Amino acid sequence: MKRPLFNFILAWSVFPFVVSLADSDWNGRWRLDVEHSSALDGWTNMDVEIQTSGSEISITHDMRWRSTRVLKTNVVNTRRTVKIPDFFRIEARHMAIYAPKTFSATVSSEWLDGSRALRVEAELPVEVSQGDATIRIYSEYRMGEGGETLTLIELRSSRNNPLVYRFRRLPVGDSSRP
């Protein structure tokens, strides 16, 4: 009878350590491998920076086109659905789909495959030439073996084919321009 209690206490004492190990693989900055990725359409390059803090995950997109730079961050939470004002979409610059002036995306996220993948699903109100609509974006960030590569697979409710972006981890402190 004492053994189950011991196992329970042991599991809860080790849990924060295991979570911090999973988090450390995700924290960092990745540079797009343009040659092995879907076309960016309207951008020339992209970096993604991910920072985890407990259940909150900050995903920053650093987008470039010539001398134009857009730096946008979406903060998701794996414990609850969040509302994100001005949710950033990679294809936002190229598509004739606009966010209403005041809007918030409803965003849920969760760890998959033993924290080797992060699912982010967003429902966004948008304005299109036909009126108002809602699009759903499913994004899956997959960590490669050894934590040196990251693959982003993105599906949108109005698109038949996924976009696939492949990234390589940048060394800590590398602030070179993409």
Side-chain angles (χ1 to χ4, degrees), residues 101-123:
K101 289 187 185 347
T102 57
F103 86 97
S104 289
T106 302
V107 183
S108 63
S109 62
E110 71 175 318
W111 292 112
L112 305 171
D113 304 329
S115 297
R116 299 306 302 166
L118 174 66
R119 177 202 56 83
V120 176
E121 193 164 349
E123 288 191 6

PDB file of all heavy atoms in Angstrom, residues 101-123:
ATOM      1  N   LYS A 101     -10.051  45.178 -38.231  1.00  0.00           N
ATOM      2  CA  LYS A 101      -9.259  46.127 -37.436  1.00  0.00           C
ATOM      3  C   LYS A 101      -9.115  45.693 -35.979  1.00  0.00           C
ATOM      4  O   LYS A 101      -8.071  45.818 -35.395  1.00  0.00           O
ATOM      5  CB  LYS A 101      -9.864  47.521 -37.527  1.00  0.00           C
ATOM      6  CG  LYS A 101      -9.666  48.157 -38.887  1.00  0.00           C
ATOM      7  CD  LYS A 101     -10.116  49.587 -38.871  1.00  0.00           C
ATOM      8  CE  LYS A 101     -10.080  50.309 -40.171  1.00  0.00           C
ATOM      9  NZ  LYS A 101      -9.415  49.811 -41.289  1.00  0.00           N
ATOM     10  N   THR A 102     -10.184  45.210 -35.384  1.00  0.00           N
ATOM     11  CA  THR A 102     -10.102  44.685 -34.020  1.00  0.00           C
ATOM     12  C   THR A 102     -10.555  43.231 -34.066  1.00  0.00           C
ATOM     13  O   THR A 102     -11.712  42.953 -34.342  1.00  0.00           O
ATOM     14  CB  THR A 102     -10.989  45.481 -33.043  1.00  0.00           C
ATOM     15  OG1 THR A 102     -12.325  45.451 -33.507  1.00  0.00           O
ATOM     16  CG2 THR A 102     -10.520  46.919 -32.917  1.00  0.00           C
ATOM     17  N   PHE A 103      -9.623  42.342 -33.863  1.00  0.00           N
ATOM     18  CA  PHE A 103      -9.957  40.928 -33.885  1.00  0.00           C
ATOM     19  C   PHE A 103      -9.030  40.187 -32.935  1.00  0.00           C
ATOM     20  O   PHE A 103      -7.967  40.675 -32.578  1.00  0.00           O
ATOM     21  CB  PHE A 103      -9.831  40.343 -35.296  1.00  0.00           C
ATOM     22  CG  PHE A 103      -8.436  39.879 -35.641  1.00  0.00           C
ATOM     23  CD1 PHE A 103      -8.080  38.548 -35.517  1.00  0.00           C
ATOM     24  CD2 PHE A 103      -7.472  40.780 -36.056  1.00  0.00           C
ATOM     25  CE1 PHE A 103      -6.792  38.122 -35.818  1.00  0.00           C
ATOM     26  CE2 PHE A 103      -6.183  40.359 -36.360  1.00  0.00           C
ATOM     27  CZ  PHE A 103      -5.846  39.024 -36.249  1.00  0.00           C
ATOM     28  N   SER A 104      -9.460  39.020 -32.558  1.00  0.00           N
ATOM     29  CA  SER A 104      -8.619  38.109 -31.788  1.00  0.00           C
ATOM     30  C   SER A 104      -8.828  36.717 -32.344  1.00  0.00           C
ATOM     31  O   SER A 104      -9.959  36.320 -32.644  1.00  0.00           O
ATOM     32  CB  SER A 104      -9.001  38.116 -30.307  1.00  0.00           C
ATOM     33  OG  SER A 104      -8.616  39.326 -29.710  1.00  0.00           O
ATOM     34  N   ALA A 105      -7.752  36.006 -32.486  1.00  0.00           N
ATOM     35  CA  ALA A 105      -7.822  34.611 -32.905  1.00  0.00           C
ATOM     36  C   ALA A 105      -8.004  33.757 -31.654  1.00  0.00           C
ATOM     37  O   ALA A 105      -7.462  34.065 -30.593  1.00  0.00           O
ATOM     38  CB  ALA A 105      -6.547  34.212 -33.625  1.00  0.00           C
ATOM     39  N   THR A 106      -8.761  32.692 -31.783  1.00  0.00           N
ATOM     40  CA  THR A 106      -8.909  31.717 -30.714  1.00  0.00           C
ATOM     41  C   THR A 106      -7.888  30.628 -30.986  1.00  0.00           C
ATOM     42  O   THR A 106      -7.912  30.003 -32.051  1.00  0.00           O
ATOM     43  CB  THR A 106     -10.338  31.133 -30.713  1.00  0.00           C
ATOM     44  OG1 THR A 106     -11.258  32.215 -30.567  1.00  0.00           O
ATOM     45  CG2 THR A 106     -10.514  30.137 -29.586  1.00  0.00           C
ATOM     46  N   VAL A 107      -6.962  30.410 -30.043  1.00  0.00           N
ATOM     47  CA  VAL A 107      -5.823  29.534 -30.286  1.00  0.00           C
ATOM     48  C   VAL A 107      -5.693  28.486 -29.187  1.00  0.00           C
ATOM     49  O   VAL A 107      -5.696  28.806 -28.002  1.00  0.00           O
ATOM     50  CB  VAL A 107      -4.510  30.350 -30.375  1.00  0.00           C
ATOM     51  CG1 VAL A 107      -3.329  29.460 -30.697  1.00  0.00           C
ATOM     52  CG2 VAL A 107      -4.633  31.471 -31.408  1.00  0.00           C
ATOM     53  N   SER A 108      -5.571  27.224 -29.615  1.00  0.00           N
ATOM     54  CA  SER A 108      -5.297  26.132 -28.672  1.00  0.00           C
ATOM     55  C   SER A 108      -3.977  25.486 -29.088  1.00  0.00           C
ATOM     56  O   SER A 108      -3.563  25.571 -30.237  1.00  0.00           O
ATOM     57  CB  SER A 108      -6.434  25.103 -28.684  1.00  0.00           C
ATOM     58  OG  SER A 108      -6.539  24.493 -29.955  1.00  0.00           O
ATOM     59  N   SER A 109      -3.338  24.862 -28.123  1.00  0.00           N
ATOM     60  CA  SER A 109      -2.064  24.193 -28.413  1.00  0.00           C
ATOM     61  C   SER A 109      -1.862  23.036 -27.445  1.00  0.00           C
ATOM     62  O   SER A 109      -2.450  23.008 -26.361  1.00  0.00           O
ATOM     63  CB  SER A 109      -0.900  25.179 -28.315  1.00  0.00           C
ATOM     64  OG  SER A 109      -0.809  25.698 -27.009  1.00  0.00           O
ATOM     65  N   GLU A 110      -1.045  22.092 -27.867  1.00  0.00           N
ATOM     66  CA  GLU A 110      -0.707  20.971 -26.987  1.00  0.00           C
ATOM     67  C   GLU A 110       0.578  20.314 -27.464  1.00  0.00           C
ATOM     68  O   GLU A 110       0.927  20.382 -28.644  1.00  0.00           O
ATOM     69  CB  GLU A 110      -1.836  19.938 -26.942  1.00  0.00           C
ATOM     70  CG  GLU A 110      -2.006  19.135 -28.209  1.00  0.00           C
ATOM     71  CD  GLU A 110      -3.059  18.046 -28.088  1.00  0.00           C
ATOM     72  OE1 GLU A 110      -3.114  17.366 -27.040  1.00  0.00           O
ATOM     73  OE2 GLU A 110      -3.813  17.871 -29.054  1.00  0.00           O
ATOM     74  N   TRP A 111       1.270  19.696 -26.517  1.00  0.00           N
ATOM     75  CA  TRP A 111       2.451  18.911 -26.842  1.00  0.00           C
ATOM     76  C   TRP A 111       1.992  17.553 -27.356  1.00  0.00           C
ATOM     77  O   TRP A 111       1.062  16.971 -26.820  1.00  0.00           O
ATOM     78  CB  TRP A 111       3.343  18.712 -25.616  1.00  0.00           C
ATOM     79  CG  TRP A 111       3.986  19.979 -25.140  1.00  0.00           C
ATOM     80  CD1 TRP A 111       3.718  20.638 -23.977  1.00  0.00           C
ATOM     81  CD2 TRP A 111       5.002  20.718 -25.803  1.00  0.00           C
ATOM     82  NE1 TRP A 111       4.500  21.751 -23.882  1.00  0.00           N
ATOM     83  CE2 TRP A 111       5.310  21.824 -24.990  1.00  0.00           C
ATOM     84  CE3 TRP A 111       5.689  20.566 -27.002  1.00  0.00           C
ATOM     85  CZ2 TRP A 111       6.270  22.767 -25.338  1.00  0.00           C
ATOM     86  CZ3 TRP A 111       6.639  21.515 -27.358  1.00  0.00           C
ATOM     87  CH2 TRP A 111       6.924  22.586 -26.535  1.00  0.00           C
ATOM     88  N   LEU A 112       2.673  17.050 -28.374  1.00  0.00           N
ATOM     89  CA  LEU A 112       2.390  15.737 -28.946  1.00  0.00           C
ATOM     90  C   LEU A 112       3.653  14.882 -28.916  1.00  0.00           C
ATOM     91  O   LEU A 112       4.763  15.416 -28.822  1.00  0.00           O
ATOM     92  CB  LEU A 112       1.915  15.874 -30.397  1.00  0.00           C
ATOM     93  CG  LEU A 112       0.720  16.782 -30.667  1.00  0.00           C
ATOM     94  CD1 LEU A 112       0.535  16.967 -32.163  1.00  0.00           C
ATOM     95  CD2 LEU A 112      -0.524  16.206 -30.027  1.00  0.00           C
ATOM     96  N   ASP A 113       3.487  13.596 -29.045  1.00  0.00           N
ATOM     97  CA  ASP A 113       4.610  12.667 -29.197  1.00  0.00           C
ATOM     98  C   ASP A 113       5.704  12.863 -28.151  1.00  0.00           C
ATOM     99  O   ASP A 113       6.876  12.976 -28.473  1.00  0.00           O
ATOM    100  CB  ASP A 113       5.212  12.776 -30.608  1.00  0.00           C
ATOM    101  CG  ASP A 113       4.180  12.548 -31.697  1.00  0.00           C
ATOM    102  OD1 ASP A 113       3.227  11.778 -31.458  1.00  0.00           O
ATOM    103  OD2 ASP A 113       4.314  13.144 -32.784  1.00  0.00           O
ATOM    104  N   GLY A 114       5.298  12.919 -26.906  1.00  0.00           N
ATOM    105  CA  GLY A 114       6.278  13.047 -25.825  1.00  0.00           C
ATOM    106  C   GLY A 114       7.063  14.339 -25.889  1.00  0.00           C
ATOM    107  O   GLY A 114       8.261  14.362 -25.646  1.00  0.00           O
ATOM    108  N   SER A 115       6.408  15.442 -26.229  1.00  0.00           N
ATOM    109  CA  SER A 115       6.993  16.782 -26.334  1.00  0.00           C
ATOM    110  C   SER A 115       7.971  16.929 -27.500  1.00  0.00           C
ATOM    111  O   SER A 115       8.789  17.834 -27.513  1.00  0.00           O
ATOM    112  CB  SER A 115       7.667  17.209 -25.022  1.00  0.00           C
ATOM    113  OG  SER A 115       6.713  17.292 -23.987  1.00  0.00           O
ATOM    114  N   ARG A 116       7.880  16.067 -28.487  1.00  0.00           N
ATOM    115  CA  ARG A 116       8.714  16.199 -29.693  1.00  0.00           C
ATOM    116  C   ARG A 116       8.002  17.003 -30.773  1.00  0.00           C
ATOM    117  O   ARG A 116       8.588  17.349 -31.791  1.00  0.00           O
ATOM    118  CB  ARG A 116       9.105  14.825 -30.258  1.00  0.00           C
ATOM    119  CG  ARG A 116       9.917  13.956 -29.328  1.00  0.00           C
ATOM    120  CD  ARG A 116      11.159  14.580 -28.768  1.00  0.00           C
ATOM    121  NE  ARG A 116      12.082  15.020 -29.791  1.00  0.00           N
ATOM    122  CZ  ARG A 116      13.111  15.823 -29.572  1.00  0.00           C
ATOM    123  NH1 ARG A 116      13.339  16.287 -28.366  1.00  0.00           N
ATOM    124  NH2 ARG A 116      13.899  16.180 -30.548  1.00  0.00           N
ATOM    125  N   ALA A 117       6.714  17.295 -30.566  1.00  0.00           N
ATOM    126  CA  ALA A 117       5.941  18.088 -31.515  1.00  0.00           C
ATOM    127  C   ALA A 117       4.993  18.999 -30.743  1.00  0.00           C
ATOM    128  O   ALA A 117       4.527  18.655 -29.659  1.00  0.00           O
ATOM    129  CB  ALA A 117       5.159  17.185 -32.467  1.00  0.00           C
ATOM    130  N   LEU A 118       4.744  20.168 -31.310  1.00  0.00           N
ATOM    131  CA  LEU A 118       3.819  21.133 -30.727  1.00  0.00           C
ATOM    132  C   LEU A 118       2.739  21.423 -31.757  1.00  0.00           C
ATOM    133  O   LEU A 118       3.024  21.833 -32.877  1.00  0.00           O
ATOM    134  CB  LEU A 118       4.548  22.433 -30.374  1.00  0.00           C
ATOM    135  CG  LEU A 118       3.671  23.584 -29.890  1.00  0.00           C
ATOM    136  CD1 LEU A 118       3.025  23.253 -28.539  1.00  0.00           C
ATOM    137  CD2 LEU A 118       4.484  24.873 -29.795  1.00  0.00           C
ATOM    138  N   ARG A 119       1.478  21.188 -31.375  1.00  0.00           N
ATOM    139  CA  ARG A 119       0.342  21.489 -32.238  1.00  0.00           C
ATOM    140  C   ARG A 119      -0.234  22.832 -31.823  1.00  0.00           C
ATOM    141  O   ARG A 119      -0.479  23.084 -30.648  1.00  0.00           O
ATOM    142  CB  ARG A 119      -0.754  20.430 -32.093  1.00  0.00           C
ATOM    143  CG  ARG A 119      -2.000  20.762 -32.940  1.00  0.00           C
ATOM    144  CD  ARG A 119      -3.266  20.073 -32.458  1.00  0.00           C
ATOM    145  NE  ARG A 119      -3.622  20.307 -31.072  1.00  0.00           N
ATOM    146  CZ  ARG A 119      -4.292  21.376 -30.619  1.00  0.00           C
ATOM    147  NH1 ARG A 119      -4.657  22.337 -31.423  1.00  0.00           N
ATOM    148  NH2 ARG A 119      -4.585  21.478 -29.340  1.00  0.00           N
ATOM    149  N   VAL A 120      -0.427  23.716 -32.811  1.00  0.00           N
ATOM    150  CA  VAL A 120      -1.068  25.012 -32.576  1.00  0.00           C
ATOM    151  C   VAL A 120      -2.207  25.126 -33.578  1.00  0.00           C
ATOM    152  O   VAL A 120      -1.990  24.999 -34.779  1.00  0.00           O
ATOM    153  CB  VAL A 120      -0.073  26.182 -32.761  1.00  0.00           C
ATOM    154  CG1 VAL A 120      -0.784  27.519 -32.606  1.00  0.00           C
ATOM    155  CG2 VAL A 120       1.099  26.058 -31.795  1.00  0.00           C
ATOM    156  N   GLU A 121      -3.421  25.349 -33.077  1.00  0.00           N
ATOM    157  CA  GLU A 121      -4.576  25.476 -33.953  1.00  0.00           C
ATOM    158  C   GLU A 121      -5.267  26.807 -33.665  1.00  0.00           C
ATOM    159  O   GLU A 121      -5.583  27.106 -32.513  1.00  0.00           O
ATOM    160  CB  GLU A 121      -5.537  24.319 -33.748  1.00  0.00           C
ATOM    161  CG  GLU A 121      -6.566  24.230 -34.830  1.00  0.00           C
ATOM    162  CD  GLU A 121      -7.279  22.890 -34.861  1.00  0.00           C
ATOM    163  OE1 GLU A 121      -6.844  21.941 -34.185  1.00  0.00           O
ATOM    164  OE2 GLU A 121      -8.291  22.808 -35.575  1.00  0.00           O
ATOM    165  N   ALA A 122      -5.454  27.599 -34.727  1.00  0.00           N
ATOM    166  CA  ALA A 122      -6.036  28.932 -34.571  1.00  0.00           C
ATOM    167  C   ALA A 122      -7.250  29.107 -35.474  1.00  0.00           C
ATOM    168  O   ALA A 122      -7.244  28.659 -36.623  1.00  0.00           O
ATOM    169  CB  ALA A 122      -4.992  29.993 -34.911  1.00  0.00           C
ATOM    170  N   GLU A 123      -8.267  29.741 -34.947  1.00  0.00           N
ATOM    171  CA  GLU A 123      -9.430  30.147 -35.732  1.00  0.00           C
ATOM    172  C   GLU A 123      -9.408  31.665 -35.775  1.00  0.00           C
ATOM    173  O   GLU A 123      -9.418  32.317 -34.729  1.00  0.00           O
ATOM    174  CB  GLU A 123     -10.718  29.633 -35.113  1.00  0.00           C
ATOM    175  CG  GLU A 123     -10.893  28.153 -35.269  1.00  0.00           C
ATOM    176  CD  GLU A 123     -12.286  27.672 -34.891  1.00  0.00           C
ATOM    177  OE1 GLU A 123     -13.169  28.514 -34.612  1.00  0.00           O
ATOM    178  OE2 GLU A 123     -12.469  26.449 -34.884  1.00  0.00           O
TER     179      GLU A 123
END
